[in-house]
């Protein structure tokens, strides 16, 4: 079949269905195989001072697989994940403010290897990477916080907005001092494996930044704005903070994707850049350093995650 790539093959016209739906990929078989939990190796890591956060040279081989990705891909191919087994990973409590575990299977790894639409497992695992490699042991842990996308998304808001609001309030309350300026990152999904956007909340100044790699604003998700606003107000009420003004939402003119699969990668890159620049205030026109993202910017993150997965012995 490989030798036929690029050649023309005749096909009967009665077997062509132009309106046929693209089939969805099968989900991993969670009930099959052995679930393996891993121990955190965070205690072995050295503290990384804020000023030493690396700004790497962007590779020029965009679109090609790096050595670390090929190494991890081979590890996956030789593991029982290919037969439907899964890995259950314990996250450090500091990542999302409470105990959290994630399930990773074959489909999740394929998203990484094939540069496909990202699901929640890869989104969360890269967040863990950022917490462990960019933030741990530095002042950044007091300036940036993450909210699990599995607890706040369009599907859950439509089913039980009160429960989602309470989860948000609990996350805000888990941080000891909310009078110091900080950002809460919420990677938000439109539901059913749909579009990813980033919501970044500054609770001290009552500002919510909205970063979407496609055109439009938060009006596409009215339940999102209502839930976030009510959660912030309830949190401030519980803390007896004075409500000085209305909550302001800011549509950031961030880099835009040029295909239908990159939204998850862009959301991760938004968070990475904000943390690396150590900026609580996000300019409406975004940062001068990152007016656009190339494929190489996204490949850099994939290599970081591949190395992290290997180091953590997840596979």
């Amino acid at each position: 079949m490989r030798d036929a790539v690029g050649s023309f093959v005749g096909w009967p016209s009665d077997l062509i269905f132009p309106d046929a739906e693209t089939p969805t990929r099968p989900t991993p078989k969670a009930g099959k195989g052995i679930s393996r939990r891993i121990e955190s190796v965070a205690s072995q890591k050295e503290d990384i001072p804020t000023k030493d956060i690396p700004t790497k040279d962007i590779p020029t081989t965009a679109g090609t697989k790096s050595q670390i990705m090929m190494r991890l891909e081979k590890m996956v191919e030789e593991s029982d994940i290919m037969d439907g087994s899964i890995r259950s990973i314990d996250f450090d409590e500091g990542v999302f403010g409470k105990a959290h575990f994630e399930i990773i299977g074959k489909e999740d790894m394929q998203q990484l290897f094939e540069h496909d639409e990202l699901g929640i497992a890869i989104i969360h695992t890269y967040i863990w990477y950022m917490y462990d490699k960019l933030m741990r042991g530095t002042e950044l842990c007091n300036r940036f916080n993450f909210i699990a996308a599995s607890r706040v998304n369009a599907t859950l808001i439509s089913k039980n907005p009160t429960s989602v609001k309470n989860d948000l309030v609990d996350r805000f309350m888990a941080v000891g001092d909310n009078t110091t300026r900080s950002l809460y990152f919420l990677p938000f999904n439109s539901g059913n494996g749909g579009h990813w956007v980033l919501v970044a909340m500054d609770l001290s100044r009552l500002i919510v930044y909205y970063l979407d790699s496609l055109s439009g604003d938060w009006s596409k998700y009215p339940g999102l704005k209502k839930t976030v606003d009510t959660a912030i107000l309830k949190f401030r009420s519980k803390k007896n903070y004075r409500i000085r003004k209305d909550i302001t939402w800011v549509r950031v003119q961030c880099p835009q994707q040029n295909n239908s699969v990159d939204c998850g990668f862009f959301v991760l890159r938004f968070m990475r850049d904000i943390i690396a620049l150590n900026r609580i205030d996000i300019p409406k026109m975004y940062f001068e350093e990152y007016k656009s993202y190339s494929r190489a910017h996204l490949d850099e993150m994939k290599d970081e995650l591949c190395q992290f997965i290997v180091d953590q012995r997840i596979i």
Side-chain angles (χ1 to χ4, degrees):
M1 181 176 289
R2 182 174 300 177
D3 295 336
V5 174
S7 62
F8 175 81
V9 180
W11 194 260
S13 59
D14 60 330
L15 294 181
I16 298 177
F17 305 97
D19 294 325
E21 279 191 2
T22 302
T24 57
R25 295 190 302 271
T27 56
K29 300 175 183 176
K32 229 179 137 181
I34 300 172
S35 174
R36 184 175 73 193
R37 306 186 76 85
I38 64 170
E39 295 292 329
S40 171
V41 294
S43 59
Q44 303 174 16
K45 308 298 181 196
E46 294 182 358
D47 290 346
I48 305 174
T50 304
K51 63 181 180 181
D52 292 335
I53 291 178
T55 301
K56 300 179 181 178
D57 293 333
I58 302 299
T60 57
T61 54
T64 62
K65 291 185 178 180
S66 64
Q67 291 294 321
I68 185 60
M69 179 174 285
M70 290 189 291
R71 177 186 172 189
L72 179 58
E73 193 169 18
K74 180 175 176 60
M75 291 171 63
V76 171
E77 289 173 352
E78 294 176 349
S79 75
D80 55 0
I81 287 180
M82 298 302 293
D83 298 322
S85 294
I86 58 173
R87 299 293 184 265
S88 178
I89 314 163
D90 290 317
F91 281 29
D92 298 330
E93 288 191 13
V95 179
F96 294 120
K98 58 167 53 175
H100 180 88
F101 76 92
E102 200 64 56
I103 300 294
I104 288 186
K106 175 182 176 181
E107 182 181 3
D108 303 304
M109 301 308 300
Q110 287 175 334
Q111 294 165 5
L112 186 60
F113 299 147
E114 304 303 327
H115 197 91
D116 206 346
E117 297 177 49
L118 294 184
I120 200 166
I122 296 298
I123 294 286
H124 280 175
T125 306
Y126 190 80
I127 286 175
W128 182 22
Y129 158 79
M130 289 189 290
Y131 174 82
D132 190 70
K133 294 297 185 180
L134 302 185
M135 295 170 53
R136 184 188 298 280
T138 74
E139 63 152 356
L140 297 177
C141 286
N142 299 321
R143 291 172 63 81
F144 301 103
N145 305 283
F146 301 103
I147 298 169
S150 54
R151 293 185 171 275
V152 184
N153 54 64
T155 301
L156 293 178
I157 288 175
S158 66
K159 292 179 178 179
N160 195 339
T162 301
S163 176
V164 175
K165 176 194 68 178
N166 291 336
D167 271 341
L168 268 176
V169 173
D170 289 344
R171 179 65 181 104
F172 299 153
M173 296 292 291
V175 177
D177 178 19
N178 274 291
T179 59
T180 302
R181 288 192 61 197
S182 63
L183 278 182
Y184 286 82
F185 290 126
L186 167 62
F188 180 80
N189 191 269
S190 62
N192 299 319
H195 183 54
W196 289 99
V197 302
L198 178 64
V199 178
M201 294 161 271
D202 181 344
L203 302 187
S204 63
R205 294 202 305 160
L206 296 180
I207 295 177
V208 178
Y209 298 100
Y210 180 89
L211 293 86
D212 189 344
S213 56
L214 294 176
S215 59
D217 60 20
W218 54 85
S219 61
K220 295 187 291 186
Y221 315 111
L224 166 65
K225 184 178 187 305
K226 182 178 179 180
T227 301
V228 168
D229 286 352
T230 55
I232 292 175
L233 294 177
K234 182 175 180 180
F235 159 74
R236 293 188 68 87
S237 175
K238 292 184 72 169
K239 282 284 194 177
N240 294 318
Y241 293 157
R242 186 163 52 95
I243 307 226
R244 306 181 307 275
K245 59 179 181 176
D246 293 336
I247 299 170
T248 300
W249 282 63
V250 178
R251 167 73 159 95
V252 179
Q253 302 300 312
C254 54
Q256 300 288 284
Q257 66 189 83
N258 58 9
N259 57 33
S260 61
V261 301
D262 276 350
C263 57
F265 292 102
F266 272 56
V267 162
L268 294 177
R269 188 78 206 194
F270 294 152
M271 290 188 283
R272 185 191 189 281
D273 291 343
I274 294 167
I275 293 170
L277 293 171
N278 195 8
R279 293 284 297 273
I280 300 298
D281 55 318
I282 305 175
K284 188 172 182 179
M285 301 306 294
Y286 205 55
F287 303 108
E288 287 295 331
E289 296 90 336
Y290 299 106
K291 285 298 185 182
S292 63
Y293 292 147
S294 67
R295 174 62 183 269
H297 285 98
L298 310 185
D299 286 346
E300 179 187 21
M301 293 190 307
K302 292 191 294 184
D303 288 348
E304 291 169 340
L305 184 54
C306 286
Q307 186 66 61
F308 185 67
I309 290 173
V310 170
D311 291 344
Q312 294 290 334
R313 300 179 181 179
I314 293 174
I315 305 302

